Amino acid sequence: MEKLSQWTLRWLLERDLAIDSTMYTCNSIEDATSLLESALNFGQSPTLIIFDHSDRPTEKNIAFSKALRDGIPESWIIEFVPDNMPVQQDDDNLFWVRRPLTEDEWDETLDLVLLKSGSPQWAKVET
């Protein structure tokens, strides 16, 4: 996750977006819940949430990511999943990225979610 944080910061700096951005990293669902509750209490929905399922997604992790998608539909929630995890195809709200991932792939993902489609709802609009 440290490498991903560095890539994300570099992406923000290259686009002059770092000054308006705040990044948090959490090591547990409890930490993430606390930070999100604080931000939401102040009316500040995060633009992007990155959730790493690690090597083996647990039922608790899957339930938490579903609660995030249901509770904060205006936020992009990108979930990193291991290469061997079956990906659910019938849910339009899922944005799963397989690991391993290159910096160029991550840049393309950030371009899509933060520049081209400001929210998940905008990404679904037919043009």
Side-chain angles (χ1 to χ4, degrees), residues 31-41 44 46 49 64 68 72:
D31 288 347
T33 300
S34 177
L35 278 171
L36 286 170
E37 284 176 351
S38 295
L40 292 172
N41 284 338
Q44 299 173 339
I49 298 170
F64 180 70
L68 286 175
I72 317 172

Side-chain angles (χ1 to χ4, degrees), residues 46-50 72-78 95 112-114 117-121 123:
T47 301
L48 174 64
I49 298 170
I50 301 164
I72 317 172
E74 67 275 13
S75 298
W76 277 104
I77 300 166
I78 298 176
F95 196 106
L112 172 67
V113 300
L114 297 178
S117 303
S119 78
Q121 294 93 340

Side-chain angles (χ1 to χ4, degrees), residues 45-61:
S45 295
T47 301
L48 174 64
I49 298 170
I50 301 164
F51 190 84
D52 190 351
H53 283 280
S54 193
D55 292 332
R56 279 186 270 147
T58 64
E59 289 299 320
K60 182 178 179 181
N61 288 359

Side-chain angles (χ1 to χ4, degrees), residues 10-25:
R10 185 175 307 135
W11 185 92
L12 290 167
L13 289 169
E14 289 171 357
R15 286 153 187 84
D16 292 326
L17 299 172
I19 201 158
D20 297 327
S21 302
T22 303
M23 271 187 355
Y24 299 99
T25 58

Side-chain angles (χ1 to χ4, degrees), residues 109-125:
T109 300
L110 291 175
D111 284 341
L112 172 67
V113 300
L114 297 178
L115 296 179
K116 295 177 183 171
S117 303
S119 78
Q121 294 93 340
W122 295 351
K124 295 177 188 171
V125 174

